[in-house]
Amino acid sequence: MTPTNSAEQALDEALALVSRTPEGGGTGGAGGGTGGHRASSWQRARDTAAHAGSRVRARTHRVALADALGEVLATPLDALTDLPSFDTSAMDGWAVAGPGPWSVRAGGGVLAGSERPEPLTDGEAVRIATGARIPVDATAVIRTEHCREAGTQLFADRPVLTGQDIRPRGQECRSGDLLLPAGSLVTPAVLGLAAAAGYDELTTRPRPRVEILVLGDELLTEGRPHEGLVRDALSPMLGPWMDRLGAEVIGTRRLGDDPAGAAALLEAVTTSTADVLVTTGGTASGPVDHVRPVLRKAGAELLVDGVAVRPGHPMLLARIGSGTPNENAENPENAENTVRHVVGLPGNPLAAVSGLLTLAEPLLRALAGRRRRPRYTAPVQGDVPGHPYDTRLVPVLLSDEHAVPLRYHGPAMLRGVAAADALAVVPPKGARSGQELEILDLPWASGGCFT
């Protein structure tokens, strides 16, 4: 969408003049800034995050059906019995034997959940309810609306085919059949299938545990911004966002930019029980940006040290621990060096959203054992300015035909993404109206963790 006011035009013109982060040095250690390394391309950063998650040894647990929702099957879902386990009526009507007309059996009909019915003799009919057992020797079920009674006789209003409206035993599956492979997401429909197949529990991969660390001395937790202080917009957003990505948030903490905050950050990245720590702010090279120095001190390996994307280029991904056996561990529970990942998000809100979709989402999906989202594109409505070298992520509304870019997409702005369905991936140098762009669905617009 072409900018419609001078302020946004100025922003786009300024963006086009920004040079990319200088390349040089190496891919660097955790202490580097954003100016002394080669930033990963946006797609490579996402691939790296997904690969990092897939390398971690999977944990499994056995849980009740209700607790398995949103997790991933660790073992195949095999049929424990035939489904249906007996011949059943697919409709309310009459079970009949042989050709009509039929003599109506005296007494009550056959109901779902009742005892095994008496066999039918040739030329006999008995009332039957949907889901009820089919009497032995019945040849068909006639729907109530397709027949009529006359005294003790039943007449069909249309031809009756052998086997009609009978669900035969094993129609859906036979005992031992594979219903779903390991790696399938447990959706509400999967819970229903598992229950129908006789399961009370499922073996699944638990949700990745996430701890959120919000860094900064300038953040207010309530009230209006004032006197150089701003409201903490990330704490209210990140927890629910992680939940929609399928993670279990075990805590959110705020840490200052002082030495005590840096010490608390070091303790968190080395001792947290979370699988992933998500930090906000402090990923650049300013005087109180502690994330990279702390990661270096913790012996972390930087997997992604900056990404060629706007907003959000100072984001990072690090790994702590090897996952290999620890021969010196006294406690058997610590016999393996636990792998923990750190996703460092920039402090600006939309830049943090960019980091979530670039690094956190593919990492968490892989840790949970979930498949990556299918990639798809949509034509953009209107020209979209681009950065000379880097990818841009722009909030868009999805119509039946187009992705419509939204205003208010500066790094510190949430107004655009709050109204958006997705982010469009704009290549370097921008996109022309009608050009197909990759679309990143926002989790609440795409069904959350059950897609």
Side-chain angles (χ1 to χ4, degrees):
M1 177 179 291
T2 304
T4 57
N5 59 50
S6 59
E8 189 166 350
Q9 181 68 52
L11 172 65
D12 288 324
E13 290 176 354
L15 183 66
L17 294 174
V18 175
S19 61
R20 106 184 274 177
T21 301
E23 294 185 355
T27 52
T34 57
H37 65 276
R38 188 185 303 274
S40 299
S41 71
W42 178 77
Q43 187 58 56
R44 182 173 182 180
R46 284 174 60 82
D47 292 341
T48 299
H51 179 67
S54 65
R55 290 182 57 192
V56 177
R57 181 177 298 179
R59 294 181 289 116
T60 65
H61 61 177
R62 191 159 182 84
V63 294
L65 290 186
D67 297 326
L69 186 64
E71 297 186 349
V72 167
L73 293 178
T75 58
L77 189 72
D78 294 327
L80 301 179
T81 183
D82 296 346
L83 286 182
S85 56
F86 48 85
D87 294 347
T88 62
S89 177
M91 292 289 171
D92 293 331
W94 295 83
V96 300
W102 302 269
S103 298
V104 175
R105 176 184 287 177
V110 184
L111 302 178
S114 62
E115 297 293 328
R116 184 187 300 272
E118 292 295 324
L120 287 178
T121 59
D122 192 41
E124 190 177 22
V126 64
R127 280 195 180 276
I128 194 165
T130 302
R133 285 187 175 196
I134 296 293
V136 174
D137 294 330
T139 54
V141 169
I142 307 174
R143 303 182 188 190
T144 301
E145 62 269 26
H146 294 165
C147 59
R148 54 189 169 82
E149 288 183 81
T152 60
Q153 295 290 102
L154 181 73
F155 297 87
D157 294 336
R158 59 186 63 189
V160 177
L161 303 177
T162 299
Q164 73 178 29
D165 287 326
I166 293 176
R167 293 187 62 212
R169 176 173 181 162
Q171 182 185 53
E172 186 169 4
C173 65
R174 290 291 185 181
S175 180
D177 284 354
L178 174 65
L179 300 178
L180 290 171
S184 299
L185 180 66
V186 180
T187 65
V190 171
L191 293 180
L193 175 62
Y199 283 86
D200 299 314
E201 298 179 323
L202 293 174
T203 300
T204 60
R205 293 179 62 165
R207 295 169 180 253
R209 299 183 301 266
V210 172
E211 185 174 7
I212 299 168
L213 305 174
V214 179
L215 313 181
D217 291 331
E218 76 282 11
L219 302 177
L220 295 169
T221 59
E222 60 184 11
R224 300 179 183 181
H226 64 274
E227 299 177 354
L229 301 178
V230 298
R231 276 296 296 271
D232 172 14
L234 294 178
S235 294
M237 177 175 71
L238 291 183
W241 201 307
M242 294 296 170
D243 182 71
R244 296 292 284 185
L245 291 179
E248 176 191 355
V249 178
I250 63 173
T252 299
R253 286 192 278 165
R254 296 178 179 85
L255 304 180
D257 290 327
D258 55 2
L265 178 61
L266 177 62
E267 180 182 10
V269 300
T270 53
T271 66
S272 175
T273 60
D275 302 300
V276 178
L277 282 93
V278 175
T279 67
T280 68
T283 57
S285 302
V288 293
D289 290 331
H290 298 308
V291 173
R292 281 181 169 82
V294 163
L295 291 176
R296 182 178 65 240
K297 190 170 184 178
E301 176 188 3
L302 271 183
L303 305 177
V304 175
D305 189 10
V307 180
V309 66
R310 307 291 169 136
H313 61 281
M315 69 181 74
L316 61 84
L317 172 64
R319 178 172 57 218
I320 299 174
S322 62
T324 57
N326 181 0
E327 297 178 355
N328 297 322
E330 297 181 3
N331 188 337
E333 295 181 357
N334 298 325
E336 183 177 283
N337 289 315
T338 301
V339 175
R340 185 180 301 111
H341 288 90
V342 179
V343 175
L345 304 178
N348 278 324
L350 188 58
V353 169
S354 174
L356 281 174
L357 295 178
T358 301
L359 298 177
E361 180 176 10
L363 174 68
L364 291 171
R365 290 183 74 91
L367 286 172
R370 297 174 61 190
R371 294 183 294 272
R372 298 185 69 173
R373 289 187 184 276
R375 299 174 67 178
Y376 76 98
T377 63
V380 67
Q381 180 176 298
D383 295 346
V384 184
H387 187 275
Y389 307 106
D390 295 348
T391 299
R392 283 187 70 198
L393 301 182
V394 176
V396 294
L397 278 175
L398 299 178
S399 70
D400 290 340
E401 298 180 353
H402 296 94
V404 183
L406 297 170
R407 297 166 54 193
Y408 307 109
H409 46 61
M413 299 179 181
L414 288 174
R415 186 173 173 181
V417 73
D421 299 314
L423 299 186
V425 182
V426 181
K429 299 181 173 59
R432 305 296 296 176
S433 183
Q435 182 175 335
E436 294 280 339
L437 297 181
E438 183 174 351
I439 300 297
L440 299 178
D441 287 326
L442 296 175
W444 51 86
S446 57
C449 62
F450 306 125
T451 57

